[in-house]
Amino acid sequence: MVSSPLRKALSMTRPRPTPETDKSHASPFSRRRFLGMTGAVVAAGAAAPLLAACGDDRGGSGAKPTSNTLTIMTTGVPADEQLAMWKQYAAEPLGVELKFVTVADGTFPSQALAAQQSNNPPDIIQWSSQGAPVLKASGIALEPLDSYISASETKSDFYPQDYASGTIDDKVYALGFNCDSRAIAYRGDWAANAGPVPTNWDADEFGAWAAKMNGPNRTAFGWEAKTADGRGSSNFLPLLWSTGASLVTKQDGKWAIGFTESQFASVLDFYAKMVNTYKATPKDVAGWGYPDTDGGFSKGTLGAYSVGPWVTAICKDFPDVLKNIKCAPIPNLGTPTSFWSESALMLHSASANKDKAWQFIANMRSEKAQDAMTAMKGNTEGSPRISSNAKLADPLVKQWAAQLEFAKVPEPIDIHVVMDGVVYPAMQEVALKGSAPAEVAKAAMKNMETALTQLNV
């Protein structure tokens, strides 16, 4: 069984529950981050087979790495065009070959541990930065990167969230090579008469605007509220953060509630108004998960929802929708906020090629490599290097990247405990039953105390 520290460490933060990436998409990793990891990792801890030898899914021999080979454990080999850039800007300058070991999200920690126990660890681990606490808690020997960073990087070149996202107990273990935020994707054609989109708006301004997208056989605005949905937290949290609150805070080494009853009630009030005041959202949103929001938007029955820039990949088979996608900031309850998400690279402490592996990471984060990646046609990701986002080829993706400046890194907890036990029930109550947000918030505070007993085990 997986230990309780691992269950505590699981951070279900920016899952991308979309289909497997096809080769035409240039950023394959970003849509695979942490979908349904809580149950999957617990099950995998007991059932996953040992990964005794790191096999290359592109025909490698499975032999241990040599001095000119870097083994990367990942959930997917980069698409061809992106892989060519990895080689050109990061591998070839070092004179190394790349060998990829692909494992599923759900078995990632147990497979990494199996490779470590068989004395055949990867040199580099590529996963979500929020995966670093999971890996450490499951016994993976990650190398602290602080000394490497001090010697190789100018921190001001990168968003501070990039370093914060991979930090555990004041040490950096993961660094991003792409990142994204959340914003409102909406149908520009439906909103043609709704009025201009401001750079900053509150709940009422957004609700009045969104309601104008209503029409026959279509819904103006939606969100994920279904228990066990993997993406809803990335849409709920920015609203809570915009009140000035945190989800949780550390007090005397334990997690404590990071918000007040009134702050939680104000978020519930936003959802209630979308359903009952502005009629922009139907009551049955209480049962929606990501298939409903992704599917509704891509198929033309939903006008707007909070999502990442990879929404263009979701809609690639729906040209009428694709050509009409627009981007708007998330409505806020006091301060503009978004959700920080990134794909990251980590070093295994037992790597025989640790210095070369670090240099590969540094090369991936270099200005030359990051500029090339953001300028690549079809790219839907921003860069953790601030200046490189000016090179983004897609003007729509550039609008998402503008949210990175004020995006917040999610708290490193098992978010499913809070979402399933506190948030989703409250969202369902105000949407489906029309209950008063203030009353629901009172119950939520009690439920949050129960959730903390699980988080603080």
Side-chain angles (χ1 to χ4, degrees), residues 150-165:
S150 297
S152 304
E153 294 192 345
T154 301
K155 282 193 171 183
S156 59
D157 290 341
F158 298 87
Y159 292 99
Q161 296 96 318
D162 171 55
Y163 295 107
S165 186

Side-chain angles (χ1 to χ4, degrees), residues 187 189-190 298 300 315 317-325:
R187 287 288 297 266
D189 50 344
W190 294 10
S298 62
C315 298
D317 294 328
F318 302 90
D320 185 59
V321 175
L322 191 60
K323 71 180 181 181
N324 284 296
I325 297 176

Side-chain angles (χ1 to χ4, degrees), residues 31 48 76 174 195 250 284 323 382 385 413 423:
R31 299 197 308 280
K250 265 291 178 67
D284 65 8
K323 71 180 181 181
R385 180 177 281 272
I413 63 168
V423 178

Side-chain angles (χ1 to χ4, degrees), residues 430-448:
V430 298
L432 192 61
K433 298 181 181 180
S435 302
E439 292 302 314
V440 178
K442 286 183 181 178
M445 298 301 285
K446 294 180 180 178
N447 290 339
M448 191 67 184

Side-chain angles (χ1 to χ4, degrees), residues 168-185:
I168 306 168
D169 296 331
D170 299 322
K171 292 182 180 181
V172 180
Y173 290 92
L175 290 172
F177 63 90
N178 67 34
C179 60
D180 60 55
S181 60
R182 295 294 183 272
I184 300 294

